[in-house]
Amino acid sequence: LFNSLFVGLVATVAAAKLATNKGDSGGGEAMDPGMKSLQMRFLAVFWLFRLSDWLQGPYFYGVYASKVIGGTAVSADLIAKIFLTGFATTAFF
């Protein structure tokens, strides 16, 4: 199931990228060096923040495992679903 969804997602992203590049004539103006510098600084901080969010994931396992819902401890299956939901939301948003 995961592999099928992954392949579908990659195909969708590739099709969207190709669709947006079709209308581009390739003769656009060069980006201002100041704007390019700002863009690179922003992206460096943005991706550092994104990756740090993913790095904290393993530390939450103990938090999830210690929870009790309805008088019973949280199962490993529910913990896995919580992890996948968390990672998916940070990947998409």
Side-chain angles (χ1 to χ4, degrees), residues 12-48:
T12 303
V13 169
K17 184 68 175 168
L18 286 173
T20 54
N21 285 345
K22 276 205 177 207
D24 188 16
S25 62
E29 296 178 19
M31 187 180 293
D32 179 40
M35 179 60 94
K36 185 70 172 174
S37 172
L38 176 64
Q39 184 182 32
M40 288 297 119
R41 286 184 291 161
F42 171 80
L43 288 174
V45 172
F46 173 79
W47 285 112
L48 183 65

Side-chain angles (χ1 to χ4, degrees), residues 21 50 54 64 66 77 87:
N21 285 345
R50 258 314 162 88
W54 279 60
Y64 296 146
S66 68
D77 184 50
F87 284 138

Side-chain angles (χ1 to χ4, degrees), residues 36-81:
K36 185 70 172 174
S37 172
L38 176 64
Q39 184 182 32
M40 288 297 119
R41 286 184 291 161
F42 171 80
L43 288 174
V45 172
F46 173 79
W47 285 112
L48 183 65
F49 175 75
R50 258 314 162 88
L51 291 173
S52 68
D53 186 43
W54 279 60
L55 286 174
Q56 72 182 354
Y59 296 103
F60 277 99
Y61 182 84
V63 174
Y64 296 146
S66 68
K67 297 296 178 191
V68 176
I69 299 175
T72 60
V74 175
S75 67
D77 184 50
L78 182 58
I79 293 172
K81 289 177 184 175

